Amino acid sequence: MFEPVIGIEVHVQLKTESKLFCPCSTRFDAPPNSNTCPVCLGLPGALPVLNKKAIEYGIKTSLALNCRVTESSRFDRKNYFYPDLSKNYQITQNAFPIGADGYIDVVVDGTERRVRIKRVHLEEDAGKSVHEGGTITGAAYSLEDYNRAGVPLLEIVSEPDIRSPKEAYEYLLMLRRILLYLGVSDCKMEEGSLRCDVNISIRPKGSDKFGTQVELKNLNSFRAVERSLEYEVRRQSDVVANGGEVVRETRHWDEASQVTVSMRLKERAEDYRYFPEPDLPKLKIEKAWVEEVKTTLPELPGARRMRFISDYELPQYDAALLTDTRELADYFEAAVREYDGSAKTVSNWIMGELLRLMNATGTEIGEVKVSPGDLADMLKMIDKGTISGKIAKTVFEEMFAEGKSPEVIVKEKGLVQIADEDELLRIVDQVIGENQEVADEIKAGKDKAIGFLVGQVMKLTRGRANPKMVNELLRQRLSQ
Amino acid sequence: MRLNELKAHELLPMIRRKEVSVEEVVAAILHRISAIDSKIRAYITVAGEEALKKAKEADARLAGGEPARPLEGLPVAIKDNICTQGLRTTAASRFLEGFTPFYDATVVERLKDKGAIIIGKTNLDEFAMGSSTENSAMFPTRNPWDLKRVPGGSSGGSAASVIAGEAVCALGSDTGGSIRQPASFCGIVGLKPSYGLVSRYGLIGYASSMDHIGPMTRDVRDCALILGAIAGYDSKDSQSYPGELPDYTECLVPDIKGMKVGVPKEYLDEGLSGTVRDAFMKALDKLEELGAKVVEVSMPSLKHSLAAYYVISSAEASSNLARFDGVRYGYRATGSDDSMTMMAMSRGEGFGPEVKRRIVLGTYVLSAENYDKYFGEALRVRSLVTRDFREVFEVCDCLVGPTSPTVAFEAGEKTRDPLEMYLSDVYTVPPNLAGIPGVSIPCGFDEEGMPIGLQIMARQYNEEALLRAAYAFEQATEFHKRNPEIEKYTKEPAGGEMSV
Ligand SMILES: [Zn+2]
């Protein structure tokens, strides 16, 4: 029986206005090479000037990941040649990353697991190459776009603490959740603002040795990470079970056929000739600055989830779902504040109707037209009996589509619940009269059939009748 | 009177008083260049038309009653590794032969803002790597005192242009002595300021932690004037010094009574030539005569500084020069099948042998297996040198020594042996490692009439002590008044003779 040993490196683009070392915009969709200047183009004589906001985001993230923030940090040069790397070296943090020795707690199948964070460091992104003809070696020509060159990246490296593909998936979800809560990155894999590389080896369960590492690339979604790891666990286990040896290599995830394919063997580590970046002074991070940043940290998803369970008495499942994004959790809490009933009711409506409609229409929580106050008002209307729970679903759909308040919709559409006993009795009698056979059956003991009569009443009242009263009145009449 | 032999501090008041027009001054300089530069070859590019245009504009402004800016009408030459907007900047490399920046270096911007006129771009050893200007991919520059000899390097073009009257002042760059050694070889004043005092923005990087830009002038007053114009904090250079700066011309008081002047005994080793030693000893006598207290000091770390310098500078150079790959600008080789090969071929064809030598050396010392043995060790030497200087400056106001072990050598004499060429920097390298200022001023001539330089060093950011000592020495001597006989190189009048 083998167990996988997994470590993950995540690169996220920081959401700063300008690049890490020059004033150019970090906008994602600008025309090629329009967001460039002598610094990010690596023109002769140009010098880097550090973006303080990026450092602040680095500190913020380090704190949120429970890392120690390095007081005396610096930048280094990583030297390698590639046409999209404008200086042919990358300014990064090798020896003294901004943050180190942290952790993230992840819930996997109901149990909490701690994944240690080895380091968090800042570096600049490279540009983008387009090779006419696929690869750089076979291309007729290559085009270079340096808009992305110099965009600040944060590299977050986990320790090899992850023990299953599912855990890797949950780790990534939690990491992204934290980064989104912090507001330091968009974390959009499809736009490349979040990228991940995964290392995996296997070993006999219970062993404390590490096997030969394989690096996985071309992982375009968290699901791809999970699937590729599942595949690798199987593949490596088969190799070892059949008496073979896993080779150290980089493998490419083929999404279409759901397999990993060998890209290149890694005979030895590449020599990047790191040395301290001489164009920048040492990076001193004052304790006072760290303390200041600490005060700006939002409540993080893990803590918020726990609080939702204890303060609102929500089930684990609800709490996890509602704290998935900061915006959703904020929405929930705002609605609870406006509503005087149970938090679980609010949770049910958000998890049920709101998320269903959001998914169906592809709406983000930030774009939802129903304010938390409107949701609360609608719930109060149900409680007061002004509308039925069933009608409320219609009302809510209308609120979601039009953004109107529930009162307005109920009035406009005449959806106020009929709770007047005389009026309801008149309709109940009419229904019994028109369905005498069914009524007789019920009287003869076929109790289930009462649902049919309730349905007829609801149909006549277009759902506005108070169902509880209808039920009672029907029974009252039929037992006479 | 020759306009082109005037110092800036003599010329500027004449322009201000309208005794001479800016156009006349610039025309005189351009005339001089066209008469003699085919022999000296100080310039890679002469911006004659643009300079005359700027001169006319300046005259028009002055005629219109606008006040003259501090350097109004001053013709300056710029070393060709300092970027000039719209003016070709080659670093004397085949790689950048056709490169015209769309931005000015901060120093150029500052000179222009103060009214100076850029005459042209001067020759250097390719990417400032060399000590004789023979490593230029364009052509070698000759020493105006003796055309058989080199002007020193790498700022050889700037030094030659100033002493030959082809510019009134010039900017050079100095990573291990590239301002001071050619200043010494050409008999002018060359100052390497404290690290960070003058912005490096726009200087084509060679070794970032030791690159400096500084003035190269005919006398100390001009040096102080130009330093004041280019020094000061620049947000575009993260290593820029943020402190307040004094008016450097105000420290030009010819009084060094009681000043404690140290002589590191390591500067008087066996490599020092006899004539330079004699001139230096006489200079010490002169300093004592002026009231300075001369003391011998010892800085044992200095004997390792040359080795440390070549390790660190080559390491940084190997990385700084990586950007020259033919992808975005500069020389691009043809005949390759893919971009990676194109990059490699462009570098192979675009760089000269000394540049390649240093890239290979730098790549070697930074490799994982050699890093600690070479680069790490060099950094340790560097911190020892810095410490030694700091300790010495606790007892001395400044240090003096010869700028170079020899006078200007003959062209071709050292090109075959790079190590011998490197030794030419042995006295100028330590201030670059420590980031302290150093200046070379004329302190004598050998029996063949070749100038000898005296180097004065001071504590970091204490350019005032440096300039005061230099000024006092200069005012008490006549060396700075001597001029090479340029006329003997040309049948035509050597230009610039104007009656004013
Ligand atoms: Zn830029």
Side-chain angles (χ1 to χ4, degrees):
Chain A
M1 198 50 199
F2 297 105
E3 96 177 332
V5 174
I6 300 165
I8 301 184
E9 277 177 34
V10 169
H11 286 88
V12 284
Q13 278 182 0
L14 293 178
K15 230 165 64 177
T16 52
E17 288 287 315
S18 55
K19 293 185 180 180
L20 188 50
F21 298 114
C22 64
C24 292
S25 163
T26 53
R27 248 189 62 199
F28 161 72
D29 51 358
N33 294 310
S34 57
N35 290 338
T36 56
C37 73
V39 177
C40 55
L41 284 176
L43 290 175
L47 295 171
V49 176
L50 184 57
N51 180 342
K52 212 179 155 196
K53 196 80 194 169
I55 302 294
E56 187 194 310
Y57 283 0
I59 297 173
K60 211 169 178 173
T61 308
S62 299
L63 291 172
L65 301 180
N66 306 296
C67 289
R68 154 175 67 74
V69 176
T70 311
E71 242 176 281
S72 182
S73 183
R74 71 163 194 228
F75 285 91
D76 302 289
R77 289 190 187 174
K78 178 180 182 176
N79 294 286
Y80 65 95
F81 282 89
Y82 204 77
D84 66 14
L85 188 64
S86 48
K87 301 179 294 297
N88 287 310
Y89 59 80
Q90 179 194 33
I91 306 178
T92 179
Q93 295 189 299
N94 183 47
F96 300 96
I98 191 161
D101 305 329
Y103 61 86
I104 298 182
D105 288 329
V106 182
V107 180
V108 188
D109 297 329
T111 46
E112 197 159 86
R113 295 263 307 140
R114 178 160 290 188
V115 177
R116 287 172 302 153
I117 304 291
K118 187 175 180 184
R119 52 186 288 147
V120 173
H121 75 249
L122 279 159
E123 61 186 27
E124 54 178 346
D125 208 343
K128 244 183 208 162
S129 299
V130 179
H131 304 301
E132 186 57 40
T135 61
I136 186 164
T137 43
Y141 59 84
S142 300
L143 297 171
E144 302 297 337
D145 176 6
Y146 295 99
N147 279 350
R148 210 180 64 179
V151 167
L153 291 179
L154 209 55
E155 180 173 330
I156 301 159
V157 184
S158 84
E159 294 283 1
D161 286 354
I162 299 168
R163 291 291 173 270
S164 74
K166 179 85 185 290
E167 199 171 312
Y169 179 76
E170 291 295 337
Y171 166 80
L172 287 168
L173 278 184
M174 186 48 106
L175 178 59
R176 179 170 66 186
R177 202 174 288 137
I178 293 171
L179 295 169
L180 289 172
Y181 262 66
L182 296 174
V184 296
S185 174
D186 288 331
C187 295
K188 289 185 181 157
M189 280 190 107
E190 63 280 13
E191 287 177 11
S193 64
L194 189 152
R195 287 163 247 164
C196 50
D197 298 322
V198 176
N199 286 306
I200 172 170
S201 60
I202 56 160
R203 66 183 178 195
K205 224 176 178 126
S207 162
D208 55 1
K209 292 203 182 86
F210 291 106
T212 307
Q213 250 182 38
V214 169
E215 191 183 357
L216 301 182
K217 297 245 179 208
N218 192 40
L219 304 168
N220 295 320
S221 68
F222 291 173
R223 280 291 169 214
V225 171
E226 192 182 10
R227 298 272 146 75
S228 65
L229 283 169
E230 283 166 359
Y231 178 85
E232 264 309 297
V233 174
R234 283 198 305 275
R235 187 189 70 83
Q236 293 186 19
S237 303
D238 284 353
V239 169
V240 176
N242 292 321
E245 248 176 62
V246 174
V247 278
R248 185 156 177 218
E249 61 182 344
T250 300
R251 296 179 72 89
H252 186 96
W253 172 243
D254 185 339
E255 185 73 47
S257 41
Q258 301 275 302
V259 294
T260 64
V261 182
S262 179
M263 272 169 79
R264 60 167 185 267
L265 295 184
K266 279 192 159 180
E267 275 153 12
R268 57 188 182 127
E270 262 176 275
D271 189 348
Y272 291 115
R273 289 172 280 116
Y274 287 103
F275 74 105
E277 165 57 273
D279 283 329
L280 290 169
K282 287 209 168 77
L283 176 60
K284 294 265 174 249
I285 300 174
E286 305 289 338
K287 277 210 176 83
W289 192 16
V290 177
E291 288 307 313
E292 198 188 308
V293 173
K294 211 175 248 171
T295 63
T296 69
L297 282 182
E299 186 184 19
L300 293 167
R304 206 165 191 184
R305 190 185 70 228
M306 298 311 285
R307 187 168 60 79
F308 276 22
I309 294 168
S310 60
D311 286 13
Y312 301 119
E313 295 172 346
L314 291 182
Q316 173 96 5
Y317 178 80
D318 291 38
L321 201 83
L322 290 173
T323 54
D324 187 42
T325 68
R326 188 175 168 177
E327 291 76 10
L328 189 65
D330 286 347
Y331 189 98
F332 166 77
E333 291 210 89
V336 169
R337 263 195 305 278
E338 299 282 327
Y339 179 51
D340 37 23
S342 98
K344 177 65 180 144
T345 308
V346 178
S347 169
N348 288 346
W349 274 86
I350 290 177
M351 297 200 315
E353 290 306 294
L354 181 61
L355 290 183
R356 180 180 65 79
L357 290 168
M358 280 167 60
N359 284 339
T361 54
T363 311
E364 299 284 333
I365 181 73
E367 304 158 357
V368 165
K369 290 179 191 159
V370 183
S371 73
D374 285 345
L375 172 59
D377 286 347
M378 192 202 73
L379 297 177
K380 286 182 200 163
M381 289 171 82
I382 300 173
D383 292 350
K384 275 191 225 144
T386 315
I387 52 173
S388 67
K390 190 154 185 248
I391 283 289
K393 290 193 179 174
T394 319
V395 173
F396 191 76
E397 274 174 24
E398 189 74 13
M399 288 163 72
F400 186 87
E402 303 294 333
K404 289 179 188 161
S405 74
E407 290 86 353
V408 169
I409 293 166
V410 166
K411 203 185 264 170
E412 274 178 8
K413 307 232 159 179
L415 295 172
V416 178
Q417 183 164 264
I418 304 169
D420 181 83
E421 200 170 310
D422 292 340
E423 195 180 345
L424 284 179
L425 259 181
R426 195 175 47 75
I427 300 163
V428 163
D429 288 342
Q430 185 190 333
V431 166
I432 292 172
E434 285 167 4
N435 298 282
Q436 201 56 60
E437 274 175 43
V438 182
D440 291 343
E441 281 174 23
I442 295 167
K443 278 181 186 165
K446 199 179 169 192
D447 199 51
K448 269 191 187 162
I450 199 163
F452 174 77
L453 295 184
V454 172
Q456 292 304 305
V457 173
M458 296 313 272
K459 202 172 164 190
L460 274 176
T461 58
R462 285 180 293 120
R464 289 160 58 219
N466 182 322
K468 205 173 150 215
M469 287 177 74
V470 172
N471 223 301
E472 278 167 14
L473 292 172
L474 275 168
R475 286 183 192 285
Q476 195 184 313
R477 280 295 199 241
L478 293 171
S479 64
Q480 282 168 0
Chain B
M1 170 172 280
R2 289 193 183 127
L3 278 177
N4 53 29
E5 282 175 13
L6 288 176
K7 279 90 176 160
H9 60 86
E10 295 163 348
L11 180 65
L12 292 171
M14 292 169 68
I15 293 172
R16 233 165 267 150
R17 292 193 299 263
K18 300 202 180 77
E19 291 164 18
V20 61
S21 73
V22 178
E23 190 182 349
E24 282 173 287
V25 173
V26 169
I29 293 284
L30 291 175
H31 184 203
R32 177 75 154 191
I33 292 171
S34 62
I36 64 165
D37 203 51
S38 59
K39 298 279 190 285
I40 311 282
R41 310 225 66 183
Y43 283 94
I44 291 176
T45 308
V46 178
E49 230 170 88
E50 179 68 14
L52 277 173
K53 191 177 136 229
K54 283 274 183 286
K56 283 177 192 156
E57 285 169 14
D59 284 333
R61 273 198 309 274
L62 294 174
E66 268 185 50
R69 293 172 289 174
L71 301 180
E72 195 75 72
L74 181 69
V76 294
I78 307 288
K79 187 177 180 180
D80 208 22
N81 61 347
I82 299 172
C83 289
T84 42
Q85 185 188 341
L87 181 59
R88 189 169 74 122
T89 301
T90 69
S93 177
R94 208 180 153 198
F95 202 98
L96 292 176
E97 215 167 351
F99 177 69
T100 301
F102 58 87
Y103 45 95
D104 269 331
T106 298
V107 288
V108 171
E109 196 177 271
R110 288 185 180 179
L111 287 178
K112 284 180 176 172
D113 283 350
K114 292 182 172 70
I117 290 174
I118 311 298
I119 293 297
K121 306 298 294 287
T122 53
N123 200 13
L124 62 149
D125 290 292
E126 184 177 0
F127 287 108
M129 296 176 183
S131 311
S132 68
T133 315
E134 291 167 291
N135 292 337
S136 167
M138 309 301 171
F139 41 76
T141 296
R142 293 306 163 92
N143 193 315
W145 295 90
D146 177 358
L147 294 187
K148 289 194 302 299
R149 299 183 195 238
V150 302
S154 63
S155 311
S158 285
S161 74
V162 169
I163 196 62
E166 297 180 84
V168 177
C169 302
L171 291 187
S173 75
D174 188 316
T175 306
S178 283
I179 287 176
R180 290 158 291 156
Q181 186 254 25
S184 158
F185 280 17
C186 290
I188 62 166
V189 176
L191 183 144
K192 178 205 90 72
S194 302
Y195 187 71
L197 190 76
V198 174
S199 169
R200 290 179 297 123
Y201 186 84
L203 169 67
I204 299 179
Y206 158 22
S208 303
S209 73
M210 293 183 282
D211 287 345
H212 303 71
I213 295 175
M216 303 182 78
T217 58
R218 289 172 155 262
D219 69 6
V220 175
R221 183 169 289 280
D222 274 9
C223 179
L225 187 71
I226 299 297
L227 179 65
I230 60 175
Y233 178 73
D234 175 21
S235 61
K236 289 185 196 160
D237 178 355
S238 307
Q239 302 281 32
S240 182
Y241 174 64
E244 285 280 317
L245 302 183
D247 179 341
Y248 293 112
T249 55
E250 274 176 13
C251 53
L252 302 178
V253 189
D255 176 14
I256 51 167
K257 273 189 205 76
M259 187 182 253
K260 229 167 162 196
V261 176
V263 181
K265 67 173 187 217
E266 290 77 10
Y267 270 70
L268 304 171
D269 57 8
E270 62 280 5
L272 184 59
S273 82
T275 42
V276 175
R277 179 187 294 268
D278 292 348
F280 176 67
M281 288 307 173
K282 281 191 193 130
L284 288 183
D285 291 345
K286 179 57 82 178
L287 288 169
E288 278 188 319
E289 192 187 309
L290 291 169
K293 279 182 71 184
V294 177
V295 291
E296 191 187 81
V297 296
S298 175
M299 300 174 63
S301 66
L302 289 187
K303 61 177 174 293
H304 304 296
S305 57
L306 192 69
Y309 166 77
Y310 274 96
V311 169
I312 296 170
S313 63
S314 302
E316 292 184 14
S318 71
S319 176
N320 278 337
L321 269 63
R323 68 187 62 197
F324 302 111
D325 58 10
V327 174
R328 293 159 303 280
Y329 53 84
Y331 181 81
R332 178 181 288 188
T334 52
S336 60
D337 286 338
D338 63 81
S339 343
M340 297 302 275
T341 315
M342 184 278 284
M343 289 160 75
M345 282 173 67
S346 301
R347 293 169 65 75
E349 293 168 22
F351 289 147
E354 182 60 28
V355 173
K356 287 181 190 167
R357 181 161 23 244
R358 297 197 194 190
I359 290 174
V360 169
L361 177 61
T363 305
Y364 179 79
V365 300
L366 283 180
S367 65
E369 58 188 311
N370 296 316
Y371 185 94
D372 198 58
K373 197 164 29 161
Y374 294 106
F375 192 71
E377 190 68 7
L379 291 182
R380 285 186 280 277
V381 170
R382 185 176 196 171
S383 65
L384 288 180
V385 170
T386 309
R387 192 200 62 193
D388 277 3
F389 272 120
R390 201 171 45 235
E391 281 173 10
V392 161
F393 286 125
E394 272 163 24
V395 284
C396 298
D397 298 301
C398 54
L399 296 177
V400 295
T403 306
S404 181
T406 64
V407 294
F409 43 86
E410 289 199 1
E413 198 180 318
K414 300 194 176 186
T415 43
R416 256 165 304 156
D417 184 355
L419 284 181
E420 204 178 314
M421 187 75 90
Y422 294 173
L423 283 173
S424 193
D425 297 334
V426 66
Y427 300 145
T428 47
V429 151
N432 296 73
L433 285 170
I436 62 163
V439 66
S440 178
I441 58 171
C443 74
F445 289 86
D446 74 356
E447 57 279 10
E448 288 169 68
M450 294 310 291
I452 297 166
L454 171 72
Q455 180 175 213
I456 309 173
M457 296 159 272
R459 185 182 301 126
Q460 199 171 30
Y461 307 123
N462 194 359
E463 272 72 5
E464 286 166 285
L466 199 78
L467 289 167
R468 204 174 97 200
Y471 185 69
F473 182 85
E474 179 190 84
Q475 291 303 298
T477 54
E478 300 284 314
F479 308 117
H480 65 292
K481 294 183 177 160
R482 219 190 274 188
N483 274 311
E485 289 170 53
I486 305 288
E487 285 72 15
K488 70 186 176 196
Y489 305 134
T490 169
K491 289 186 196 95
E492 289 171 56
E497 287 180 63
M498 293 257 170
S499 55
V500 287

